Short mmCIF file of all heavy atoms in Angstrom, two decimals:
data_model
loop_
_atom_site.label_atom_id
_atom_site.label_comp_id
_atom_site.label_asym_id
_atom_site.label_seq_id
_atom_site.Cartn_x
_atom_site.Cartn_y
_atom_site.Cartn_z
N MET U 1 -30.87 4.87 -0.77
CA MET U 1 -31.72 4.83 0.49
C MET U 1 -31.37 6.09 1.35
O MET U 1 -30.18 6.44 1.54
CB MET U 1 -31.44 3.55 1.27
CG MET U 1 -31.95 3.52 2.55
SD MET U 1 -31.74 2.05 3.50
CE MET U 1 -32.72 0.92 2.53
N LYS U 2 -32.37 6.86 1.67
CA LYS U 2 -32.12 7.98 2.49
C LYS U 2 -32.56 7.79 3.96
O LYS U 2 -33.60 7.40 4.19
CB LYS U 2 -32.95 9.29 1.91
CG LYS U 2 -32.27 9.69 0.60
CD LYS U 2 -32.99 10.99 0.26
CE LYS U 2 -32.46 11.43 -1.11
NZ LYS U 2 -33.07 12.71 -1.57
N VAL U 3 -31.66 7.98 4.80
CA VAL U 3 -31.93 7.94 6.18
C VAL U 3 -31.31 9.19 6.78
O VAL U 3 -30.01 9.27 6.91
CB VAL U 3 -31.26 6.66 6.89
CG1 VAL U 3 -31.58 6.65 8.43
CG2 VAL U 3 -31.82 5.36 6.29
N PRO U 4 -32.16 10.18 7.19
CA PRO U 4 -31.51 11.44 7.68
C PRO U 4 -30.86 11.11 8.93
O PRO U 4 -31.33 10.40 9.80
CB PRO U 4 -32.70 12.34 7.94
CG PRO U 4 -33.97 11.66 7.39
CD PRO U 4 -33.49 10.26 7.00
N HIS U 5 -29.68 11.64 9.07
CA HIS U 5 -28.78 11.53 10.30
C HIS U 5 -28.57 9.99 10.48
O HIS U 5 -28.91 9.47 11.72
CB HIS U 5 -29.49 12.24 11.53
CG HIS U 5 -29.62 13.69 11.36
ND1 HIS U 5 -28.58 14.56 11.26
CD2 HIS U 5 -30.84 14.44 11.04
CE1 HIS U 5 -29.14 15.80 10.98
NE2 HIS U 5 -30.43 15.70 10.87
N ALA U 6 -28.11 9.36 9.55
CA ALA U 6 -27.91 7.80 9.62
C ALA U 6 -27.09 7.48 10.76
O ALA U 6 -27.32 6.48 11.37
CB ALA U 6 -27.25 7.31 8.33
N ASP U 7 -26.01 8.30 11.12
CA ASP U 7 -25.19 7.92 12.31
C ASP U 7 -26.05 7.91 13.59
O ASP U 7 -25.92 7.09 14.48
CB ASP U 7 -23.95 8.72 12.38
CG ASP U 7 -24.24 10.28 12.40
OD1 ASP U 7 -25.45 10.70 12.08
OD2 ASP U 7 -23.36 11.02 12.81
N ASP U 8 -26.88 8.96 13.76
CA ASP U 8 -27.71 8.94 14.96
C ASP U 8 -28.73 7.87 14.96
O ASP U 8 -28.99 7.28 15.97
CB ASP U 8 -28.48 10.37 14.96
CG ASP U 8 -27.56 11.56 15.29
OD1 ASP U 8 -26.50 11.30 15.80
OD2 ASP U 8 -27.90 12.59 14.84
N ALA U 9 -29.32 7.60 13.78
CA ALA U 9 -30.24 6.39 13.67
C ALA U 9 -29.61 5.21 13.96
O ALA U 9 -30.22 4.26 14.61
CB ALA U 9 -30.89 6.40 12.30
N TYR U 10 -28.29 4.97 13.60
CA TYR U 10 -27.58 3.76 13.83
C TYR U 10 -27.43 3.61 15.39
O TYR U 10 -27.80 2.49 15.97
CB TYR U 10 -26.17 3.89 13.34
CG TYR U 10 -25.29 2.58 13.57
CD1 TYR U 10 -25.52 1.49 12.92
CD2 TYR U 10 -24.26 2.76 14.46
CE1 TYR U 10 -24.63 0.41 13.15
CE2 TYR U 10 -23.40 1.73 14.68
CZ TYR U 10 -23.64 0.51 14.14
OH TYR U 10 -22.83 -0.49 14.40
N TYR U 11 -27.00 4.62 16.11
CA TYR U 11 -26.80 4.39 17.56
C TYR U 11 -28.12 4.31 18.28
O TYR U 11 -28.23 3.55 19.24
CB TYR U 11 -25.97 5.67 18.11
CG TYR U 11 -24.55 5.50 17.72
CD1 TYR U 11 -23.98 6.48 16.89
CD2 TYR U 11 -23.78 4.52 18.06
CE1 TYR U 11 -22.73 6.45 16.49
CE2 TYR U 11 -22.49 4.42 17.74
CZ TYR U 11 -21.96 5.36 16.91
OH TYR U 11 -20.65 5.25 16.48
N ALA U 12 -29.25 4.96 17.84
CA ALA U 12 -30.53 4.81 18.49
C ALA U 12 -31.05 3.39 18.27
O ALA U 12 -31.67 2.87 19.11
CB ALA U 12 -31.55 5.81 17.80
N GLY U 13 -30.79 2.79 17.01
CA GLY U 13 -31.19 1.45 16.77
C GLY U 13 -30.39 0.44 17.66
O GLY U 13 -31.06 -0.49 18.23
N LEU U 14 -29.21 0.78 17.90
CA LEU U 14 -28.41 -0.08 18.85
C LEU U 14 -28.85 -0.01 20.38
O LEU U 14 -29.05 -1.06 20.93
CB LEU U 14 -26.85 0.22 18.74
CG LEU U 14 -26.10 -0.04 17.49
CD1 LEU U 14 -24.72 0.36 17.56
CD2 LEU U 14 -26.18 -1.69 17.36
N ARG U 15 -29.28 1.14 20.71
CA ARG U 15 -29.72 1.33 22.03
C ARG U 15 -31.04 0.71 22.16
O ARG U 15 -31.42 0.18 23.35
CB ARG U 15 -29.76 2.85 22.39
CG ARG U 15 -28.51 3.51 22.84
CD ARG U 15 -28.59 4.87 23.26
NE ARG U 15 -29.45 5.76 22.52
CZ ARG U 15 -28.80 6.56 21.57
NH1 ARG U 15 -27.62 6.58 21.40
NH2 ARG U 15 -29.70 7.38 20.82
N GLY U 16 -31.99 0.74 21.17
CA GLY U 16 -33.22 0.29 21.39
C GLY U 16 -33.48 -1.13 20.72
O GLY U 16 -34.56 -1.53 20.64
N ASP U 17 -32.29 -1.79 20.47
CA ASP U 17 -32.41 -3.13 19.90
C ASP U 17 -33.43 -3.19 18.61
O ASP U 17 -34.10 -4.14 18.44
CB ASP U 17 -32.97 -4.14 20.96
CG ASP U 17 -31.92 -4.46 22.01
OD1 ASP U 17 -30.79 -4.23 21.70
OD2 ASP U 17 -32.28 -4.89 23.14
N ASP U 18 -33.32 -2.14 17.88
CA ASP U 18 -34.06 -2.14 16.50
C ASP U 18 -33.16 -2.45 15.46
O ASP U 18 -32.55 -1.49 14.84
CB ASP U 18 -34.73 -0.60 16.43
CG ASP U 18 -35.51 -0.55 15.12
OD1 ASP U 18 -35.67 -1.62 14.43
OD2 ASP U 18 -36.17 0.56 14.98
N PHE U 19 -33.01 -3.83 15.18
CA PHE U 19 -31.99 -4.18 14.20
C PHE U 19 -32.34 -3.83 12.74
O PHE U 19 -31.55 -3.68 11.91
CB PHE U 19 -31.71 -5.60 14.36
CG PHE U 19 -31.23 -5.94 15.73
CD1 PHE U 19 -32.03 -6.66 16.57
CD2 PHE U 19 -29.91 -5.61 16.01
CE1 PHE U 19 -31.50 -7.00 17.89
CE2 PHE U 19 -29.51 -5.84 17.35
CZ PHE U 19 -30.18 -6.59 18.32
N LEU U 20 -33.58 -3.59 12.51
CA LEU U 20 -33.95 -3.10 11.11
C LEU U 20 -33.49 -1.61 10.86
O LEU U 20 -32.95 -1.37 9.83
CB LEU U 20 -35.50 -3.24 10.96
CG LEU U 20 -36.00 -2.72 9.63
CD1 LEU U 20 -35.38 -3.59 8.46
CD2 LEU U 20 -37.53 -2.73 9.53
N LEU U 21 -33.51 -0.86 11.90
CA LEU U 21 -33.13 0.46 11.82
C LEU U 21 -31.60 0.51 11.66
O LEU U 21 -30.99 1.27 10.95
CB LEU U 21 -33.51 1.33 13.00
CG LEU U 21 -33.05 2.81 12.98
CD1 LEU U 21 -33.52 3.55 11.81
CD2 LEU U 21 -33.61 3.50 14.38
N VAL U 22 -30.92 -0.32 12.43
CA VAL U 22 -29.48 -0.42 12.34
C VAL U 22 -29.07 -0.87 11.00
O VAL U 22 -28.13 -0.30 10.34
CB VAL U 22 -28.98 -1.49 13.42
CG1 VAL U 22 -27.44 -1.77 13.08
CG2 VAL U 22 -29.16 -0.94 14.76
N ALA U 23 -29.76 -1.82 10.41
CA ALA U 23 -29.40 -2.19 9.07
C ALA U 23 -29.65 -1.19 7.98
O ALA U 23 -28.88 -0.99 7.12
CB ALA U 23 -30.22 -3.60 8.74
N ARG U 24 -30.72 -0.48 8.09
CA ARG U 24 -31.09 0.62 7.22
C ARG U 24 -29.97 1.72 7.29
O ARG U 24 -29.52 2.31 6.32
CB ARG U 24 -32.47 1.17 7.42
CG ARG U 24 -33.53 0.23 7.00
CD ARG U 24 -34.88 0.79 7.07
NE ARG U 24 -34.97 1.96 6.24
CZ ARG U 24 -35.75 3.09 6.56
NH1 ARG U 24 -36.39 3.12 7.71
NH2 ARG U 24 -35.82 4.08 5.78
N ALA U 25 -29.55 2.08 8.61
CA ALA U 25 -28.62 3.03 8.72
C ALA U 25 -27.25 2.67 8.16
O ALA U 25 -26.50 3.50 7.51
CB ALA U 25 -28.54 3.42 10.21
N GLN U 26 -26.88 1.43 8.29
CA GLN U 26 -25.64 0.86 7.87
C GLN U 26 -25.65 0.97 6.26
O GLN U 26 -24.58 1.40 5.68
CB GLN U 26 -25.43 -0.46 8.29
CG GLN U 26 -24.98 -0.63 9.69
CD GLN U 26 -24.73 -2.07 10.14
OE1 GLN U 26 -25.29 -3.03 9.52
NE2 GLN U 26 -23.99 -2.32 11.16
N ASP U 27 -26.72 0.60 5.64
CA ASP U 27 -26.87 0.76 4.21
C ASP U 27 -26.73 2.17 3.73
O ASP U 27 -26.09 2.39 2.76
CB ASP U 27 -28.22 0.12 3.79
CG ASP U 27 -28.23 -1.37 3.81
OD1 ASP U 27 -27.18 -2.03 3.96
OD2 ASP U 27 -29.32 -2.07 3.77
N ALA U 28 -27.34 3.06 4.41
CA ALA U 28 -27.33 4.41 4.07
C ALA U 28 -25.90 4.99 4.13
O ALA U 28 -25.43 5.66 3.29
CB ALA U 28 -28.37 5.28 4.89
N MET U 29 -25.21 4.63 5.31
CA MET U 29 -23.79 5.15 5.41
C MET U 29 -22.96 4.52 4.38
O MET U 29 -22.03 5.23 3.81
CB MET U 29 -23.33 4.84 6.87
CG MET U 29 -24.00 5.81 7.96
SD MET U 29 -23.22 5.62 9.55
CE MET U 29 -23.95 4.05 10.10
N THR U 30 -23.09 3.28 4.07
CA THR U 30 -22.16 2.66 3.07
C THR U 30 -22.53 3.29 1.75
O THR U 30 -21.53 3.57 0.97
CB THR U 30 -22.56 1.17 2.95
OG1 THR U 30 -22.26 0.52 4.29
CG2 THR U 30 -21.69 0.45 2.06
N HIS U 31 -23.74 3.50 1.48
CA HIS U 31 -24.02 4.26 0.19
C HIS U 31 -23.45 5.60 0.11
O HIS U 31 -22.85 5.99 -0.99
CB HIS U 31 -25.58 4.20 -0.02
CG HIS U 31 -26.01 4.91 -1.23
ND1 HIS U 31 -26.00 4.48 -2.47
CD2 HIS U 31 -26.53 6.22 -1.42
CE1 HIS U 31 -26.43 5.26 -3.39
NE2 HIS U 31 -26.69 6.38 -2.69
N GLY U 32 -23.48 6.34 1.18
CA GLY U 32 -22.79 7.68 1.09
C GLY U 32 -21.35 7.69 1.01
O GLY U 32 -20.80 8.43 0.18
N TYR U 33 -20.76 6.71 1.67
CA TYR U 33 -19.22 6.66 1.62
C TYR U 33 -18.87 6.17 0.27
O TYR U 33 -17.78 6.65 -0.29
CB TYR U 33 -18.75 5.64 2.68
CG TYR U 33 -18.79 6.23 4.15
CD1 TYR U 33 -19.26 5.37 5.13
CD2 TYR U 33 -18.42 7.52 4.42
CE1 TYR U 33 -19.32 5.89 6.43
CE2 TYR U 33 -18.59 8.06 5.67
CZ TYR U 33 -18.97 7.24 6.69
OH TYR U 33 -19.08 7.70 7.96
N THR U 34 -19.64 5.31 -0.32
CA THR U 34 -19.33 4.85 -1.79
C THR U 34 -19.37 5.97 -2.72
O THR U 34 -18.60 6.09 -3.62
CB THR U 34 -20.26 3.61 -2.03
OG1 THR U 34 -20.04 2.52 -1.07
CG2 THR U 34 -19.96 3.11 -3.54
N ARG U 35 -20.38 6.66 -2.64
CA ARG U 35 -20.66 7.80 -3.42
C ARG U 35 -19.49 8.86 -3.34
O ARG U 35 -19.02 9.46 -4.36
CB ARG U 35 -22.00 8.55 -3.30
CG ARG U 35 -23.10 7.62 -3.90
CD ARG U 35 -24.42 8.42 -3.79
NE ARG U 35 -24.25 9.65 -4.69
CZ ARG U 35 -25.29 9.97 -5.40
NH1 ARG U 35 -26.39 9.37 -5.48
NH2 ARG U 35 -25.11 11.14 -6.06
N ALA U 36 -19.19 9.15 -2.12
CA ALA U 36 -18.08 10.05 -1.85
C ALA U 36 -16.74 9.62 -2.45
O ALA U 36 -15.99 10.28 -3.02
CB ALA U 36 -17.90 10.37 -0.43
N PHE U 37 -16.49 8.28 -2.26
CA PHE U 37 -15.30 7.69 -2.78
C PHE U 37 -15.24 7.71 -4.36
O PHE U 37 -14.18 8.23 -4.94
CB PHE U 37 -15.04 6.27 -2.41
CG PHE U 37 -13.84 5.55 -3.06
CD1 PHE U 37 -12.64 5.81 -2.56
CD2 PHE U 37 -14.12 4.76 -4.17
CE1 PHE U 37 -11.50 5.18 -3.08
CE2 PHE U 37 -12.91 4.10 -4.71
CZ PHE U 37 -11.75 4.34 -4.18
N LEU U 38 -16.33 7.51 -5.04
CA LEU U 38 -16.43 7.50 -6.43
C LEU U 38 -16.29 8.97 -6.87
O LEU U 38 -15.73 9.18 -7.97
CB LEU U 38 -17.59 6.79 -6.93
CG LEU U 38 -17.79 5.29 -6.77
CD1 LEU U 38 -19.11 4.74 -7.19
CD2 LEU U 38 -16.61 4.57 -7.44
N GLY U 39 -16.89 9.88 -6.25
CA GLY U 39 -16.86 11.25 -6.66
C GLY U 39 -15.44 11.70 -6.58
O GLY U 39 -15.03 12.41 -7.49
N SER U 40 -14.67 11.46 -5.58
CA SER U 40 -13.25 11.91 -5.39
C SER U 40 -12.38 11.24 -6.42
O SER U 40 -11.53 11.85 -7.01
CB SER U 40 -12.81 11.65 -4.04
OG SER U 40 -12.74 10.30 -3.60
N ALA U 41 -12.75 9.95 -6.81
CA ALA U 41 -12.02 9.31 -7.81
C ALA U 41 -12.11 9.95 -9.29
O ALA U 41 -11.19 10.08 -9.95
CB ALA U 41 -12.39 7.71 -7.91
N VAL U 42 -13.46 10.35 -9.40
CA VAL U 42 -13.67 11.06 -10.82
C VAL U 42 -12.85 12.44 -10.81
O VAL U 42 -12.34 12.74 -11.78
CB VAL U 42 -15.15 11.25 -10.98
CG1 VAL U 42 -15.51 12.24 -12.09
CG2 VAL U 42 -15.94 9.98 -11.12
N VAL U 43 -12.92 13.08 -9.70
CA VAL U 43 -12.23 14.39 -9.69
C VAL U 43 -10.64 14.19 -9.78
O VAL U 43 -10.08 14.94 -10.53
CB VAL U 43 -12.51 15.12 -8.39
CG1 VAL U 43 -11.65 16.41 -8.18
CG2 VAL U 43 -14.04 15.59 -8.31
N PHE U 44 -10.14 13.25 -9.12
CA PHE U 44 -8.82 12.91 -9.21
C PHE U 44 -8.34 12.58 -10.67
O PHE U 44 -7.38 13.01 -11.17
CB PHE U 44 -8.31 11.76 -8.27
CG PHE U 44 -6.89 11.36 -8.31
CD1 PHE U 44 -6.01 12.23 -7.71
CD2 PHE U 44 -6.47 10.28 -9.05
CE1 PHE U 44 -4.57 11.84 -7.66
CE2 PHE U 44 -5.17 9.96 -9.09
CZ PHE U 44 -4.26 10.70 -8.41
N THR U 45 -9.16 11.75 -11.30
CA THR U 45 -8.93 11.24 -12.71
C THR U 45 -9.01 12.39 -13.60
O THR U 45 -8.17 12.53 -14.56
CB THR U 45 -9.89 10.22 -13.01
OG1 THR U 45 -9.80 9.14 -12.14
CG2 THR U 45 -9.68 9.60 -14.49
N ALA U 46 -10.01 13.29 -13.47
CA ALA U 46 -10.09 14.61 -14.22
C ALA U 46 -8.85 15.43 -14.14
O ALA U 46 -8.35 15.95 -15.09
CB ALA U 46 -11.37 15.28 -13.94
N GLY U 47 -8.42 15.65 -12.91
CA GLY U 47 -7.21 16.38 -12.73
C GLY U 47 -5.95 15.71 -13.33
O GLY U 47 -5.12 16.42 -13.94
N LEU U 48 -5.83 14.44 -13.35
CA LEU U 48 -4.74 13.67 -13.82
C LEU U 48 -4.81 13.92 -15.40
O LEU U 48 -3.76 14.16 -16.03
CB LEU U 48 -4.89 12.23 -13.56
CG LEU U 48 -3.84 11.28 -14.16
CD1 LEU U 48 -2.47 11.51 -13.62
CD2 LEU U 48 -4.23 9.89 -14.06
N LEU U 49 -5.92 13.86 -16.05
CA LEU U 49 -6.03 13.96 -17.48
C LEU U 49 -5.67 15.43 -17.94
O LEU U 49 -5.02 15.52 -18.79
CB LEU U 49 -7.44 13.59 -17.92
CG LEU U 49 -7.81 12.06 -17.88
CD1 LEU U 49 -9.24 11.95 -18.25
CD2 LEU U 49 -6.91 11.40 -18.90
N VAL U 50 -6.21 16.39 -17.17
CA VAL U 50 -5.89 17.81 -17.43
C VAL U 50 -4.45 18.06 -17.45
O VAL U 50 -3.84 18.64 -18.22
CB VAL U 50 -6.74 18.72 -16.51
CG1 VAL U 50 -6.11 20.14 -16.60
CG2 VAL U 50 -8.14 18.69 -16.82
N ALA U 51 -3.80 17.54 -16.28
CA ALA U 51 -2.38 17.66 -16.13
C ALA U 51 -1.58 17.03 -17.30
O ALA U 51 -0.65 17.52 -17.78
CB ALA U 51 -1.86 17.20 -14.74
N ALA U 52 -2.05 15.77 -17.59
CA ALA U 52 -1.23 15.00 -18.63
C ALA U 52 -1.38 15.57 -20.04
O ALA U 52 -0.46 15.56 -20.85
CB ALA U 52 -1.82 13.55 -18.70
N LEU U 53 -2.51 16.27 -20.30
CA LEU U 53 -2.81 16.92 -21.57
C LEU U 53 -2.17 18.33 -21.71
O LEU U 53 -1.89 18.76 -22.88
CB LEU U 53 -4.26 16.99 -21.89
CG LEU U 53 -4.95 15.60 -22.02
CD1 LEU U 53 -6.40 15.82 -22.30
CD2 LEU U 53 -4.38 14.83 -23.23
N THR U 54 -2.03 19.04 -20.43
CA THR U 54 -1.53 20.31 -20.68
C THR U 54 0.00 20.58 -20.37
O THR U 54 0.57 21.59 -20.67
CB THR U 54 -2.34 21.32 -19.70
OG1 THR U 54 -2.20 20.77 -18.28
CG2 THR U 54 -3.78 21.47 -20.02
N ILE U 55 0.61 19.59 -19.63
CA ILE U 55 2.02 19.80 -19.35
C ILE U 55 2.85 19.08 -20.49
O ILE U 55 2.63 17.95 -20.75
CB ILE U 55 2.40 19.17 -17.92
CG1 ILE U 55 1.64 19.80 -16.89
CG2 ILE U 55 3.88 19.16 -17.70
CD1 ILE U 55 1.77 19.34 -15.56
N ASP U 56 3.68 20.01 -21.09
CA ASP U 56 4.61 19.51 -22.16
C ASP U 56 6.00 19.33 -21.44
O ASP U 56 6.67 20.32 -21.58
CB ASP U 56 4.54 20.24 -23.38
CG ASP U 56 5.40 19.89 -24.45
OD1 ASP U 56 5.72 18.78 -24.46
OD2 ASP U 56 5.82 20.65 -25.34
N ALA U 57 6.29 18.25 -21.12
CA ALA U 57 7.75 18.10 -20.48
C ALA U 57 8.51 17.21 -21.32
O ALA U 57 8.78 16.08 -21.08
CB ALA U 57 7.59 17.44 -19.07
N GLY U 58 8.92 17.83 -22.48
CA GLY U 58 9.68 17.09 -23.42
C GLY U 58 11.15 16.94 -22.81
O GLY U 58 11.45 17.14 -21.70
N PRO U 59 12.01 16.43 -23.64
CA PRO U 59 13.50 16.26 -23.22
C PRO U 59 13.96 17.51 -22.62
O PRO U 59 13.88 18.54 -23.06
CB PRO U 59 14.23 15.79 -24.51
CG PRO U 59 13.22 15.51 -25.56
CD PRO U 59 11.83 16.21 -25.09
N GLN U 60 14.78 17.30 -21.49
CA GLN U 60 15.31 18.36 -20.81
C GLN U 60 16.68 18.77 -21.39
O GLN U 60 17.48 17.77 -21.68
CB GLN U 60 15.48 18.19 -19.28
CG GLN U 60 14.11 17.83 -18.61
CD GLN U 60 13.25 19.04 -18.66
OE1 GLN U 60 13.59 20.18 -18.31
NE2 GLN U 60 11.96 18.82 -19.01
N GLU U 61 16.99 20.01 -21.55
CA GLU U 61 18.35 20.38 -21.99
C GLU U 61 19.18 20.82 -20.92
O GLU U 61 18.71 21.66 -20.10
CB GLU U 61 18.17 21.60 -23.14
CG GLU U 61 17.43 21.11 -24.33
CD GLU U 61 17.33 22.27 -25.25
OE1 GLU U 61 18.15 23.19 -25.17
OE2 GLU U 61 16.41 22.16 -26.16
N ARG U 62 20.39 20.35 -20.88
CA ARG U 62 21.32 20.76 -19.84
C ARG U 62 21.83 22.26 -20.21
O ARG U 62 22.19 22.47 -21.33
CB ARG U 62 22.46 19.84 -19.65
CG ARG U 62 22.11 18.55 -19.19
CD ARG U 62 23.33 17.75 -18.85
NE ARG U 62 22.95 16.54 -18.24
CZ ARG U 62 22.87 16.21 -16.97
NH1 ARG U 62 23.27 17.19 -16.15
NH2 ARG U 62 22.47 15.02 -16.47
N THR U 63 22.02 23.02 -19.24
CA THR U 63 22.68 24.27 -19.30
C THR U 63 23.76 24.45 -18.36
O THR U 63 23.60 23.96 -17.22
CB THR U 63 21.62 25.55 -19.14
OG1 THR U 63 21.15 25.43 -17.82
CG2 THR U 63 20.54 25.52 -20.07
N GLY U 64 24.85 24.97 -18.79
CA GLY U 64 25.95 25.13 -17.90
C GLY U 64 26.82 23.84 -17.92
O GLY U 64 26.59 22.94 -18.63
N PRO U 65 27.93 23.72 -17.01
CA PRO U 65 28.67 22.67 -16.86
C PRO U 65 28.05 21.37 -16.36
O PRO U 65 27.09 21.50 -15.56
CB PRO U 65 29.90 23.18 -15.96
CG PRO U 65 29.27 24.25 -15.15
CD PRO U 65 28.22 24.85 -16.07
N GLU U 66 28.58 20.26 -16.69
CA GLU U 66 28.02 19.04 -16.33
C GLU U 66 28.31 18.84 -14.74
O GLU U 66 27.47 18.31 -14.00
CB GLU U 66 28.63 17.80 -17.11
CG GLU U 66 27.70 16.71 -16.98
CD GLU U 66 28.05 15.73 -18.01
OE1 GLU U 66 28.04 16.04 -19.29
OE2 GLU U 66 28.37 14.54 -17.70
N ARG U 67 29.51 19.28 -14.28
CA ARG U 67 29.86 19.17 -12.93
C ARG U 67 30.33 20.53 -12.53
O ARG U 67 31.00 21.18 -13.25
CB ARG U 67 30.93 18.12 -12.73
CG ARG U 67 30.44 16.60 -12.99
CD ARG U 67 31.41 15.62 -12.45
NE ARG U 67 32.81 16.03 -12.34
CZ ARG U 67 33.69 15.22 -11.82
NH1 ARG U 67 33.30 13.97 -11.54
NH2 ARG U 67 34.91 15.60 -11.64
N PRO U 68 30.15 20.82 -11.15
CA PRO U 68 30.48 22.18 -10.79
C PRO U 68 32.10 22.27 -10.81
O PRO U 68 32.74 21.28 -10.43
CB PRO U 68 29.96 22.28 -9.39
CG PRO U 68 29.28 21.05 -9.13
CD PRO U 68 29.23 20.16 -10.28
N GLN U 69 32.57 23.41 -11.17
CA GLN U 69 33.92 23.66 -11.25
C GLN U 69 34.28 23.95 -9.76
O GLN U 69 33.53 24.56 -8.99
CB GLN U 69 34.27 24.85 -12.11
CG GLN U 69 33.84 24.75 -13.45
CD GLN U 69 34.80 23.74 -14.25
OE1 GLN U 69 35.78 23.61 -13.90
NE2 GLN U 69 34.14 23.05 -15.19
N GLY U 70 35.55 23.73 -9.46
CA GLY U 70 36.03 24.20 -8.11
C GLY U 70 36.44 23.02 -7.27
O GLY U 70 36.26 21.83 -7.68
N GLY U 71 36.76 23.27 -6.07
CA GLY U 71 37.58 22.34 -5.40
C GLY U 71 36.93 21.59 -4.38
O GLY U 71 35.99 21.87 -3.72
N SER U 72 37.47 20.38 -4.15
CA SER U 72 37.27 19.44 -3.15
C SER U 72 38.55 19.36 -2.32
O SER U 72 39.56 19.58 -2.69
CB SER U 72 36.86 18.14 -3.52
OG SER U 72 36.45 17.66 -4.57
#
């Protein structure tokens, strides 16, 4: 559902007691926020998969002494 400037339409509907306009604006805003959330979830998941497939973090090898030499 497309309602151009849904936030303005929402407030105009509240001021004018046009509850049909308020309902349509709420539906439009909810639809937009849902699409934005799903889009960001897809991008996040894609980044997670790319990182998981490209980073090879096998067992780490220690270099040097296990504890620092010197005094306490």
Side-chain angles (χ1 to χ4, degrees):
M1 168 178 291
K2 291 186 179 182
V3 177
H5 305 286
D7 54 344
D8 293 334
Y10 175 77
Y11 289 116
L14 287 177
R15 282 191 306 269
D17 291 333
D18 185 356
F19 297 111
L20 179 60
L21 180 59
V22 170
R24 288 183 63 215
Q26 286 176 338
D27 287 344
M29 287 188 287
T30 301
H31 177 73
Y33 290 135
T34 302
R35 287 187 62 140
F37 176 77
L38 293 176
S40 64
V42 166
V43 169
F44 180 78
T45 303
L48 177 71
L49 289 174
V50 167
L53 294 174
T54 57
I55 296 175
D56 179 22
Q60 302 294 313
E61 295 181 19
R62 291 188 179 262
T63 58
E66 200 165 304
R67 291 190 340 175
Q69 301 288 329
S72 345

